[in-house]
């Protein structure tokens, strides 16, 4: 319960700079920032005026999710204990198979499986050699935004 309550506290705290300033607070919110940008939603101070229903929907989901997670954690704790005690040589292949099935099941295309492998392989290699993954994800999400604003700054300052 302690780890889950800390996890829920971190998500809400990381959403504050994303919604208020447009700056992601962690890796999860950087992915959320990417999905906002893909849907033409500009996070920042004007988000509360332009997309009020979306912001209040996020707040409502956080309020509902916290008690729901507590109920599910208490109800499913015996199952989670058995899963944690499972040997890794059994658990890891199951996780990989479920990821492959999920990637294929999304659009019924093998391209999704290959893209998962092509992005997962370098991610696994980075983790194996001790490189942090969060800066790579942040750079991938924030790179185009920084590039656009850098171009604007160069244009405004005449080089």
């Amino acid at each position: 319960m302690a780890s889950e309550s800390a996890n829920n506290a971190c998500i809400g705290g990381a959403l504050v700079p994303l919604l208020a300033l447009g700056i992601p607070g962690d890796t999860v919110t950087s992915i959320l920032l990417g999905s906002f940008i893909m849907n033409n939603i500009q996070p920042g101070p004007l988000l509360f005026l332009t997309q009020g229903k979306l912001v209040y929907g996020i707040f409502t989901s956080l309020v509902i999710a916290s008690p729901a997670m507590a109920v599910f954690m208490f109800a499913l704790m015996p199952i989670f204990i058995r899963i944690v005690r499972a040997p890794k040589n059994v658990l890891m292949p199951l996780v990989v198979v479920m990821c492959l099935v999920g990637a294929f099941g999304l659009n019924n295309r093998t391209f999704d499986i290959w893209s998962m492998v092509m992005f997962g392989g370098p991610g696994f290699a980075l983790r194996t050699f001790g490189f942090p993954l969060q800066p790579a994800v942040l750079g991938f999400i924030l790179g185009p935004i920084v590039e656009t604003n850098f171009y604007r700054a160069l244009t405004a300052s005449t080089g």
Side-chain angles (χ1 to χ4, degrees):
M1 284 304 291
S3 63
E4 190 59 36
S5 63
N7 185 30
N8 287 346
C10 291
I11 296 297
L15 275 174
V16 171
L18 174 69
L19 296 177
L21 303 171
I23 302 169
D26 64 355
T27 308
V28 176
T29 53
S30 67
I31 294 171
L32 186 60
L33 173 65
S35 67
F36 280 167
I37 291 170
M38 285 173 37
N39 291 309
N40 293 325
I41 299 171
Q42 184 63 39
L46 295 179
L47 179 68
F48 292 87
L49 295 175
T50 59
Q51 300 287 334
K53 289 182 181 180
L54 174 71
V55 173
Y56 287 113
I58 292 171
F59 291 162
T60 305
S61 67
L62 287 172
V63 168
I64 292 171
S66 294
M69 286 298 295
V71 169
F72 283 123
M73 287 302 292
F74 280 126
L76 300 175
M77 186 137 350
I79 296 170
F80 293 148
I81 291 172
R82 288 186 188 152
I83 290 172
V84 169
R85 289 185 180 163
K88 286 188 179 182
N89 60 354
V90 173
L91 190 60
M92 290 303 157
L94 267 167
V95 169
V96 170
V97 167
M98 296 301 280
C99 289
L100 292 172
V101 169
F104 181 76
L106 187 64
N107 293 321
N108 293 334
R109 296 184 311 181
T110 56
F111 173 77
D112 296 334
I113 293 175
W114 285 111
S115 61
M116 184 192 79
V117 170
M118 294 304 289
F119 284 102
F124 180 73
L126 286 174
R127 178 164 283 184
T128 301
F129 293 118
F131 290 100
L133 295 177
Q134 289 84 3
V137 172
L138 284 172
F140 187 73
I141 298 294
L142 296 177
I145 301 168
V146 171
E147 185 177 347
T148 302
N149 288 327
F150 180 67
Y151 178 73
R152 285 182 191 159
L154 282 177
T155 304
S157 68
T158 62

